[in-house]
Amino acid sequence: MSFKEFLYLDNTSSTKIDKEILKTYTYLTNRYFANASSLHTLGVEVKNLEIKAKNQVLDLLKVKNYRLIFTSGATEANNIAIKSIAIKNQHLGKHLITSKVEHDSVYNSFKFLADYLGFEVTYLNLNQDGTINLDELKNSLRPDTILVSIIGVNNEIGTIINHQKWCKLVKENSKALCHVDMVQALGKIDLDFLNVDLASFSAHKINGINGSGFLLIRDHLKIAPLISGGSQQDGFRGGTSNSPANIVLAKTVRLALEKQEENNAHLKILSDFLYKELKAISTISLNSIQNNSVYNIINFSVNNVQSEIILNALNNKNIYISAGSTCQDDLYEDSRVLKALNKSEKEQRSRIRIGLDASLTIKDLQYFIETLKEIINDYAI
Ligand code: PMP
């Protein structure tokens, strides 16, 4: 079988830029290169386009009562959300809650606050179905809890954690603010912002530009700016803005939402096919939970071959895929997520994550499965 150059199954790490988005971005880069803070006509035009893009995104997500801060991606958005809120509100308490299965940008932001600024952090466990234990969360809330942050869709195994349930519980039982990392949720599941105070997003997971993202903050909330600089973005994030990337975000979000239903219908077909094929391979155990996950992320372990061997062998056949979170790319390091699901060390070190995109076909995946079977046959110990 042949395919175009290579088969890309790492769409959870980054996606190919949509042609329309790239066209607009190229146009914007050429035409609107001026500094959005400059007072001449071109600078003002750039600034106005950024403001328009902000309002469009707020409209699209139906969150008119939020402020939007453009960032260099979700890592920065998560850092701002967590550190800026914790620092600003520390006089109200120094207890924070998150989960054991957060993306590194969240997990390490909490670790930073604990290590350097004297905050106390509670890390919640995971139920076997990949959800948060609400009783454990309720019991962890204290009068000095100021922030709870829990991922919306897990980037390693794709499980959906219903933030409506836990945010409601937090609001009913404490004064804490709620932050949701919605990076892997946008364009995959319907979003609802009731009781959500802060939410982080990234463009390159939805066929947008790398190094671009945004943070939503409920209007009345004050934060301590993490990036000290000029008065850009209302003083919340100094620095010359990446205007073309920021402006094209409006189109990126619009397309992701417009295509969500159609993409999901196709992704379900791809996902059903993969689950069926993977379940039929005796040495494979599934780490994703099929009935509680987005369709585009499927994580499994090949129990008699290490991840590194499989990834290299697939790479040699021009199939590009990752083991899990690409931010945690040491294959000999245990996976926090799989550990939380009580997976053995062996399973953790033989983990593979398929990241699908709606442009893939069943034929592509048939080729992947055939190649995977050959590799397992060749390398099984
Ligand atoms: N959160 C989640 C859930 C992610 O999957 C990622 C990307 N791997 C990030 C945060 C960080 O996003 P970015 O690459 O835009 O910094």
Side-chain angles (χ1 to χ4, degrees), residues 285-287 299-303 307 338 342-352:
S285 56
L286 287 163
N287 299 321
N299 191 310
F300 61 93
S301 293
V302 182
N303 292 324
S307 309
L338 298 192
N342 296 323
K343 300 287 174 185
S344 67
E345 267 183 31
K346 204 168 150 195
E347 283 170 309
Q348 291 176 47
R349 285 169 194 190
S350 58
R351 61 192 191 267
I352 305 284

Side-chain angles (χ1 to χ4, degrees), residues 83-95:
K83 294 178 184 169
S84 300
I85 285 291
I87 291 168
K88 184 78 185 172
N89 291 347
Q90 57 185 316
H91 61 288
L92 301 173
K94 292 194 85 166
H95 179 237

Side-chain angles (χ1 to χ4, degrees), residues 331-348:
L331 296 176
Y332 295 104
E333 210 177 287
D334 292 344
S335 150
R336 275 189 285 104
V337 178
L338 298 192
K339 207 172 181 177
L341 281 173
N342 296 323
K343 300 287 174 185
S344 67
E345 267 183 31
K346 204 168 150 195
E347 283 170 309
Q348 291 176 47

Side-chain angles (χ1 to χ4, degrees), residues 11-243:
N11 291 284
T12 314
S13 301
S14 207
T15 53
K16 186 169 178 175
I17 302 176
D18 176 276
K19 280 198 188 84
E20 283 302 310
I21 294 172
L22 184 59
K23 206 167 116 191
T24 307
Y25 177 70
T26 309
Y27 167 73
L28 289 167
T29 313
N30 279 317
R31 173 74 178 81
Y32 293 103
F33 54 86
N35 191 319
S37 301
S38 293
L39 296 179
H40 50 67
T41 304
L42 192 57
V44 172
E45 277 177 15
V46 175
K47 185 167 207 144
N48 285 339
L49 284 173
E50 277 198 339
I51 293 170
K52 193 172 161 204
K54 263 188 196 187
N55 287 328
Q56 281 172 337
V57 175
L58 294 175
D59 269 345
L60 286 161
L61 296 175
K62 302 188 179 70
V63 284
K64 284 307 265 183
N65 51 337
Y66 286 69
R67 180 185 302 125
L68 185 155
I69 300 178
F70 291 122
T71 62
S72 61
T75 295
E76 186 190 333
N78 282 336
N79 269 265
I80 297 179
I82 296 158
K83 294 178 184 169
S84 300
I85 285 291
I87 291 168
K88 184 78 185 172
N89 291 347
Q90 57 185 316
H91 61 288
L92 301 173
K94 292 194 85 166
H95 179 237
L96 312 163
I97 300 177
T98 188
S99 85
K100 290 184 177 167
V101 298
E102 297 302 310
H103 185 266
D104 277 351
S105 55
V106 168
Y107 195 83
N108 288 328
S109 290
F110 280 103
K111 193 169 178 305
F112 175 92
L113 291 167
D115 289 352
Y116 298 109
L117 297 173
F119 284 86
E120 194 186 332
V121 184
T122 299
Y123 295 92
L124 299 174
N125 292 299
L126 213 59
N127 291 326
Q128 281 312 292
D129 64 356
T131 57
I132 288 296
N133 184 327
L134 293 179
D135 288 336
E136 189 192 6
L137 171 58
K138 192 172 176 187
N139 293 334
S140 304
L141 289 167
R142 308 188 325 208
D144 64 337
T145 310
I146 56 166
L147 177 68
V148 182
S149 173
I150 298 174
I151 195 164
V153 167
N154 188 274
N155 56 301
E156 277 194 55
I157 55 171
T159 34
I160 301 165
I161 295 180
N162 184 333
H163 63 266
Q164 282 314 325
K165 282 191 191 157
W166 71 257
C167 289
K168 184 166 179 277
L169 186 138
V170 168
K171 294 292 168 188
E172 282 170 358
N173 293 282
S174 77
K175 292 196 175 71
L177 298 174
C178 297
H179 167 247
V180 186
D181 175 344
M182 293 194 177
V183 170
Q184 301 288 351
L186 180 58
K188 305 298 183 303
I189 59 172
D190 292 339
L191 299 180
D192 183 336
F193 291 85
L194 185 69
N195 291 324
V196 174
D197 298 298
L198 304 111
S200 310
F201 300 87
S202 180
H204 71 109
K205 311 291 182 182
I206 49 168
N207 306 98
I209 308 293
N210 260 334
S212 160
F214 63 99
L215 175 68
L216 292 182
I217 308 183
R218 210 178 266 281
D219 247 351
H220 65 275
L221 286 180
K222 298 269 182 295
I223 59 166
L226 208 59
I227 309 278
S228 304
S231 59
Q232 292 97 341
Q233 304 210 49
D234 305 324
F236 287 108
R237 197 245 190 199
T240 304
S241 64
N242 184 359
S243 306

Side-chain angles (χ1 to χ4, degrees), residues 255-364:
L255 291 178
L257 294 176
E258 277 175 9
K259 292 180 180 176
Q260 180 174 315
E261 204 179 320
E262 188 189 338
N263 282 352
N264 268 339
H266 182 60
L267 286 167
K268 182 177 184 327
I269 295 171
L270 300 181
S271 158
D272 285 349
F273 170 80
L274 280 173
Y275 273 107
K276 187 171 111 305
E277 293 293 325
L278 293 170
K279 279 178 191 166
I281 302 173
S282 63
T283 50
I284 281 182
S285 56
L286 287 163
N287 299 321
S288 289
I289 298 142
Q290 189 176 5
N291 60 7
N292 183 34
S293 293
V294 286
Y295 300 123
N296 60 310
I297 302 177
I298 302 176
N299 191 310
F300 61 93
S301 293
V302 182
N303 292 324
N304 48 357
V305 194
Q306 290 212 338
S307 309
E308 194 182 13
I309 294 172
I310 303 227
L311 294 188
N312 280 336
L314 286 170
N315 192 57
N316 290 339
K317 299 269 183 185
N318 296 337
I319 298 178
Y320 303 157
I321 194 164
S322 285
S325 173
T326 23
C327 294
Q328 197 189 357
D329 57 4
D330 182 351
L331 296 176
Y332 295 104
E333 210 177 287
D334 292 344
S335 150
R336 275 189 285 104
V337 178
L338 298 192
K339 207 172 181 177
L341 281 173
N342 296 323
K343 300 287 174 185
S344 67
E345 267 183 31
K346 204 168 150 195
E347 283 170 309
Q348 291 176 47
R349 285 169 194 190
S350 58
R351 61 192 191 267
I352 305 284
R353 177 188 65 183
I354 306 172
L356 297 174
D357 179 82
S359 61
L360 289 160
T361 63
I362 289 283
K363 220 170 163 192
D364 293 328

